[in-house]
Amino acid sequence: MTMGHRERVLKALNHEEPDRVPFDLGGTSNSSVHIAKYQELKAHFGVEVDEAEDRLANKWIRSVVIDDRILEALDIDFRYLTVGTPDNKPDVDVGEDGYIDEWGQLRRMPEGSLYYDVVDYPLSGSITARDIVNYDWPDPTDPGYTRGLRARALALREGTDCAIVLRVPSPFVHTTQFLRGFEDWFADLAGDPDLATALFEATIEVTGGQATALLKEVGDIVDVIAMGDDLGFQHGPMVSPDMYKRLLKPWHAKYLDTLRQNSSAFIHFHCCGSINLLLDDLIEIGVDAINPVQVSATGMGSAELASEFGDRVSFWGAVDTQQVLPNGTPDEVRAEVKKRIGDLAPGGGYIFSAVHNIQPDVPLENILAMYEAANEYGNYPIGG
């Protein structure tokens, strides 16, 4: 029996087998398409929207909010709920290639680049806890974040049967790295953990407040809360599992508690890289689904992840964007899709999408082959 989109998603995230694996494209700002590749996707599906009118899901990594006509054509099960921008500290353009965001971070897009990079870390260098207290922090109660949010959520609920995803701010790792600078951030963890903790606490006060405001508006409507903090490099975690437990995990737990207090939606945690050594901790603090499942990273093989963690957490992503999607043939893409579905989908608990956003170097034929193969191999019983 064919299920509705939302019913299919909820069943899968409850670790039950729906009629087919749920499909994602653009359900989060980290499972979408880069704006440059999006132009080709629009042309293929006959969506005549000028690039200047495209909405960005994430400004600095240039991922887009996918047009509903494309989502319907690909039978995507999710819809992305857009959040407002702050009234009090809007982005300030700096020259033709840069801007200062609400956190005071200057970002520029180098010539030939696809993304904005942080080029000025406002709390780098020699600082004290007083500098952190006195910093010009964003206002978590800024009305711009929530203006019109509930109306947009209700329109999605009434106009579609898809699962609704709300993106809340990154808790603290990304933000503090961009405030402090990566070198100082790692040095603080090793040499001045009290300073690092003070910065984490101040940041969580803002991001937790923003998340609370958003969820008070729509926590009763949304199905998935998407958040993220990268903790992995290609070959292992950014910090040792012991350091994660001591210095970072308590703050992630605090943030997830805030989400749980304001909504019963599933919690999706975006975390790139090799994080298999941290998954027990993330599951323990209440993460429901891990994204993007970077299968090319050390220890992140899909069969191994399913065997060790598949009954306790859902996997969201896993179709390799590092090698297969950009460099493979359509047949190789189909083989990749078949493998990931075969490894991760039995028993439920798998959401199908690429590892992170689809980049401009991915041929259009491979994007189409990816979803065609998902339709072929994603019906339950898997392999039946």
Side-chain angles (χ1 to χ4, degrees), residues 127-135 195:
I127 65 168
T128 67
R130 183 175 296 276
D131 294 311
I132 294 171
V133 171
N134 292 333
Y135 189 66
L195 184 67

Side-chain angles (χ1 to χ4, degrees), residues 17-23 337-348 350 373-384:
E17 293 190 349
D19 59 335
R20 70 155 170 81
V21 172
F23 301 164
V337 170
K338 183 178 182 180
K339 173 174 175 51
R340 303 310 173 194
I341 289 176
D343 287 346
L344 297 170
Y350 179 51
N375 270 299
E376 181 178 352
Y377 300 119
N379 295 303
Y380 285 94
I382 301 300

Side-chain angles (χ1 to χ4, degrees), residues 159-303:
T160 174
D161 73 337
C162 293
I164 300 173
V165 183
L166 171 72
R167 176 174 171 252
V168 295
S170 173
F172 70 97
V173 173
H174 276 327
T175 306
T176 55
Q177 287 171 338
F178 297 150
L179 287 169
R180 190 79 175 99
F182 287 86
E183 184 175 347
D184 288 336
W185 190 89
F186 282 106
D188 290 344
L189 288 183
D192 195 349
D194 288 342
L195 184 67
T197 296
L199 185 57
F200 297 163
E201 182 175 15
T203 303
I204 284 274
E205 284 297 310
V206 176
T207 59
Q210 291 171 328
T212 297
L214 295 172
L215 291 172
K216 285 188 180 302
E217 288 288 313
V218 296
D220 60 326
I221 301 175
V222 299
D223 302 296
V224 177
I225 302 167
M227 54 171 280
D229 257 342
D230 286 345
L231 298 169
F233 294 133
Q234 185 73 23
H235 300 295
M238 286 185 183
V239 299
S240 70
D242 176 68
M243 182 174 280
Y244 177 73
K245 286 181 174 67
R246 288 187 293 109
L247 297 179
L248 305 184
K249 182 179 176 180
W251 298 104
H252 277 142
K254 178 181 175 67
Y255 190 83
L256 264 71
D257 283 347
T258 297
L259 304 184
R260 294 283 187 208
Q261 290 167 13
N262 290 282
S263 178
S264 60
F266 290 98
I267 296 177
H268 155 297
F269 192 103
H270 171 82
C271 193
C272 290
S274 174
I275 59 166
N276 59 307
L277 298 179
L278 305 179
L279 281 179
D280 278 326
D281 292 300
L282 296 176
I283 292 167
E284 182 182 313
I285 62 176
V287 170
D288 294 309
I290 286 290
N291 167 271
V293 196
Q294 191 174 328
V295 292
S296 60
T298 299
M300 295 295 288
S302 52

